[in-house]
Amino acid sequence: MKLINYLILSLVITAVGIACGGGDTATAPAPAPAATTAAVPPTTAPTTAPTTAPTTAPTTAPKATAVPEPTATPMPAPTATPKPPVPASAPTSTPTPRPTPTATPKPTPTATPTPTPIPTPYAGPNLGLNTNKVFPIHTPVDASAKARLISLGINVPQTGSLEEANHEFIAGLNVDPGYKERWVEHQTSINSVLGAYPNFMIIAYDKSGTDEDIKAIGDRLTALQWPGDTNSSMYVENWTVDALNQYKTCLTSGDTGIRRTSTSNPHSMCIMEYQKFRAYRYDAGLPTAKNHAQLAIHDAHEYFHHYQKAHALERGLDLGSDPNNPETTVQAPRWWIEGAAVSFAHAWYKANWESLSFLKDQKVMWYGEEYNLANANLGTVATAFDFKNTKKLVRGELEGHEIGAGCTADWKLQESEEDAATETRCFSSLQAVSYMAHLTSWKTVWIDIPQDYYDLGFWGSFEKHIGMEKQEFYDAYNNLMTSGDVNDTPPEGWTVPEGAISEYADFLQIVPESDTN
C-alpha cells in the first residue's frame, strides 16, 4: 500500500513538473496568481529531494491536460517615448549642425577695366540743426553811427517817388537823354518790388566827350568824398575824363559825412562808361531793345547790392568793407552777395519785362533771326541749364566754349569762394543761393538772411534760417553736384517761381534793424 501511494505521488509530482515547463525534481510550490511577466527558472537544480511528503494524497491522479500550460509572455523592448514638439522660439538641447561653408572660388582676373563707382545718391542735409541755438548779438563799436543811419531811414524800404528816395541819374552832357527816361521807368518798377532805399545813384559818361561834359559828375563825386577825402592819397582835386576812366566802378559808395560816425550819410553809386552803359555794345550801331533790356537787368542787379548794404548799416557788407577789422563787418560771402543779386534781377525781369514801354512790341534781329526779349538776361543762376552745367563741370564733361572763367573740373564750393581776393569767379559758386532756396525758400535767401545779419552776422543769420553750419552746407552742395546724372532736373525750389515776386517773397514786409530791436 505504501508502494502504491509512493508511485501515485511520484506521478503527480512528475505531471506537475511537466506542466510547469521545468525539468527539476524539486517539490512544486502551491499555484500562485499569474504574473504579467514569466519567472526566470533557477539555473541550478537542488541536489536533494524533500524529506517529507504531504500527509494526504489525492485519490485519483489529475490529468495533465487539466492544468493549462502557461504561455510565457515575452518582455517587450522598451519603446522610446516621443518628446512633445519644441516651440520654434524655445531652445533645444540638441545643437543644430552648422552647414559647412562652401569655399567661393576667387574670380580669375581679366583684362576688363574696373567700372567707375556710381556716386552715392544725394540724401539731403540734416535740417533743423540750430533750431534752439542762441546766437550772440553784435554790439556796435559806435552806437551813434548806427543810430544816425536808422534816423535817415537807410534800411527802410519806401514806396514813394524816386525823388523822395533821393535816387539820382547823373550823366555827361554828351549822353543820350533817352537813357535817363528808360532808367526812370525800370527803376520805378524795381522799387515797386524791392522798395525804395535812400541814396542810390547811376552815373554815366562818354569818354569821347570833354572835361566840361563831365563837370557835374565831378562836382557830385567831390561832395561824396569819393574815392577819398582831402586827406586821402586817392583824393581827386580836379575831375577829368581821364580820371573817370581810372576810377569808374560799380557798385561803390561815397559819404557826405564821416563813415561809421554820427555824421555819416552814405550813398551807393554805379559809375559807367558809355560802352558798358549801352549794355556792352561795342560796335558803332545804335543800341537795340535787347541792349536796353540788358541794361535794365544790370541796374536791378546793382540796386540789389544797394539793398544788401542798407541792411548791414554801418557794419559793412563783406570783408572788403573794413579789411583791417573784418570781424566788425557782416562778412557776407561773395557767392551769396553776387548770387542773390543775379537771381533777383533774373526774377524781376522775368516777371516785369513786358510792362516796360521801351520793350513793348519791339522786334530785334539777332544773327539773322528774331530775338526773344524774354531771354535777354545777362546772366542766370536759378535755371535747369546752369544746374546741368555745374554737374557736367565737376565731371570734366563741359566743352571748352562752355567752361566759364575760374571753372575747372576739380572745382568745389569752399571757403575760398567767400572772399573777393580768393574767389574763382566760377559761375557754379553763385548757384549755392539756389541750393539755399531749395532747402528753404527764395524769401529766406533774399529777405530773411539780410533781415538778421546786422545782429547775427551773415553766418549767424545763415545758421538761424537755413539750419546748417557752413561746412555742412558746403559738403551737401558738393555732394548734390557730384551725385546722380548730369541730366537730372534741379531739386524742388531751385528755380524762381512764375508770377509776381511779391507772391512768394514780399520785400516790403521786411523788418529792418532799429533802435528798439
Side-chain angles (χ1 to χ4, degrees), residues 30 43 48 108 115 125 168 204 212 275-276 278 312 317 336 342 398 423 431 441 480 500 516:
T43 57
T48 58
T108 304
E168 302 176 67
E212 185 63 26
Q275 279 190 326
K276 183 174 182 179
R278 296 166 74 226
L317 182 59
W336 177 82
V342 170
L398 276 189
E423 66 171 333
Q431 292 180 76
S441 68
L480 172 64
T516 59

Side-chain angles (χ1 to χ4, degrees), residues 189 193 343-355 442 446 495-507:
S189 174
V193 175
S343 56
F344 170 79
H346 167 67
W348 167 78
Y349 183 81
K350 180 180 177 181
N352 296 278
W353 74 272
E354 291 180 290
S355 67
W442 283 103
W446 292 332
T495 59
V496 293
E498 299 291 336
I501 293 176
S502 60
E503 294 179 0
Y504 58 91
D506 191 346
F507 284 91

Side-chain angles (χ1 to χ4, degrees), residues 176-460:
D176 180 354
Y179 281 104
K180 181 175 181 178
E181 296 171 5
R182 287 186 287 271
W183 172 80
V184 168
E185 185 175 352
H186 70 240
Q187 189 63 47
T188 299
S189 174
I190 296 166
N191 288 359
S192 70
V193 175
L194 194 54
Y197 288 82
N199 300 351
F200 180 69
M201 304 172 64
I202 292 290
I203 298 174
Y205 74 100
D206 184 348
K207 65 181 180 181
S208 66
T210 66
D211 293 343
E212 185 63 26
D213 290 332
I214 58 93
K215 186 178 184 309
I217 296 175
D219 291 344
R220 193 74 177 97
L221 293 178
T222 298
L224 292 169
Q225 304 180 84
W226 189 88
D229 59 21
T230 55
N231 297 317
S232 169
S233 61
M234 299 178 67
Y235 174 70
V236 178
E237 184 174 0
N238 296 303
W239 280 98
T240 63
V241 173
D242 288 341
L244 281 180
N245 286 334
Q246 179 183 353
Y247 289 110
K248 64 186 177 185
T249 186
C250 186
L251 188 74
T252 189
S253 60
D255 202 314
T256 57
I258 300 176
R259 184 170 175 264
R260 289 185 170 179
T261 71
S262 60
T263 66
S264 179
N265 187 16
H267 290 64
S268 295
M269 51 193 171
C270 263
I271 305 172
M272 296 183 290
E273 191 270 328
Y274 199 45
Q275 279 190 326
K276 183 174 182 179
F277 191 71
R278 296 166 74 226
Y280 311 99
R281 188 175 182 88
Y282 295 102
D283 56 49
L286 293 175
T288 66
K290 174 179 177 291
N291 299 114
H292 299 325
Q294 290 173 332
L295 181 59
I297 295 166
H298 170 272
D299 286 353
H301 175 116
E302 299 303 336
Y303 184 68
F304 192 87
H305 288 327
H306 178 61
Y307 156 82
Q308 291 170 315
K309 292 169 66 176
H311 287 284
L313 292 171
E314 89 288 351
R315 291 192 67 179
L317 182 59
D318 59 7
L319 297 174
S321 301
D322 190 353
N324 296 325
N325 301 286
E327 69 281 355
T328 67
T329 68
V330 168
Q331 297 189 37
R334 293 291 294 175
W335 59 259
W336 177 82
I337 293 173
E338 294 301 327
V342 170
S343 56
F344 170 79
H346 167 67
W348 167 78
Y349 183 81
K350 180 180 177 181
N352 296 278
W353 74 272
E354 291 180 290
S355 67
L356 301 175
S357 64
F358 55 86
L359 299 181
K360 187 178 179 63
D361 301 324
Q362 295 296 308
K363 182 177 180 179
V364 178
M365 300 305 296
W366 183 254
Y367 289 98
E369 296 182 359
E370 185 172 352
Y371 181 80
N372 184 357
L373 289 173
N375 300 325
N377 289 282
L378 287 175
T380 57
V381 170
T383 67
F385 174 80
D386 294 297
F387 177 75
K388 177 179 178 178
N389 267 3
T390 293
K391 293 180 80 70
K392 290 169 64 178
L393 170 69
V394 298
R395 290 167 170 79
E397 298 179 14
L398 276 189
E399 298 293 334
H401 67 279
E402 297 176 299
I403 298 176
C407 293
T408 57
D410 61 350
W411 181 92
K412 64 179 180 180
L413 186 62
Q414 54 191 333
E415 284 191 349
S416 59
E417 296 293 342
E418 298 172 15
D419 191 350
T422 57
E423 66 171 333
T424 61
R425 294 189 179 272
C426 179
F427 66 87
S428 298
S429 66
L430 306 188
Q431 292 180 76
V433 299
S434 292
Y435 185 52
M436 290 172 64
H438 155 63
L439 297 176
T440 53
S441 68
W442 283 103
K443 173 181 177 291
T444 298
V445 173
W446 292 332
I447 300 174
D448 297 339
I449 297 293
Q451 178 176 278
D452 289 328
Y453 60 32
Y454 179 86
D455 280 338
L456 308 181
F458 177 87
W459 290 110

Side-chain angles (χ1 to χ4, degrees), residues 116-122 395 479 482-485:
T116 302
I118 300 174
T120 303
Y122 171 66
R395 290 167 170 79
N479 180 37
T482 55
S483 63
D485 188 81

